[in-house]
Amino acid sequence: MSTPIHTKEQHLDYLQNRFELMQQMIAGMPSEEAGLEDLERLEQMLDNIMIKIQQFKPDWKEQEE
């Protein structure tokens, strides 16, 4: 089970790690073998990142006040 993250630094580290994972996945995808399933997986990863960003927003608002 993961520990909760609440600071901007932790949020940015999380997002950076997710984007690095996506970049590695894309770089390792041979174009001649990539298929619709690969695109759907990337889309799901982006959707999950967007969900996390929405979850992070209240913490950022609190830290700005």
Side-chain angles (χ1 to χ4, degrees):
M1 188 153 111
S2 62
T3 59
I5 55 178
H6 297 290
T7 68
K8 286 183 182 183
E9 181 179 354
Q10 291 171 319
H11 293 164
L12 291 175
D13 285 344
Y14 174 89
L15 293 172
Q16 181 179 19
N17 290 336
R18 288 293 161 205
F19 282 114
E20 285 176 8
L21 179 64
M22 284 186 65
Q23 190 277 328
Q24 291 172 2
M25 183 179 163
I26 293 167
M29 214 183 279
S31 59
E32 61 277 354
E33 296 176 21
L36 182 59
E37 293 168 355
D38 297 309
L39 284 179
E40 289 172 346
R41 175 143 174 113
L42 288 171
E43 181 180 32
Q44 184 61 49
M45 291 174 79
L46 286 170
D47 289 345
N48 290 340
I49 290 171
M50 291 302 297
I51 289 168
K52 278 295 185 188
I53 289 172
Q54 293 302 315
Q55 292 172 350
F56 293 161
K57 281 183 177 181
D59 288 341
W60 284 45
K61 286 180 185 176
E62 283 180 14
Q63 291 177 36
E64 289 179 357
E65 294 175 353

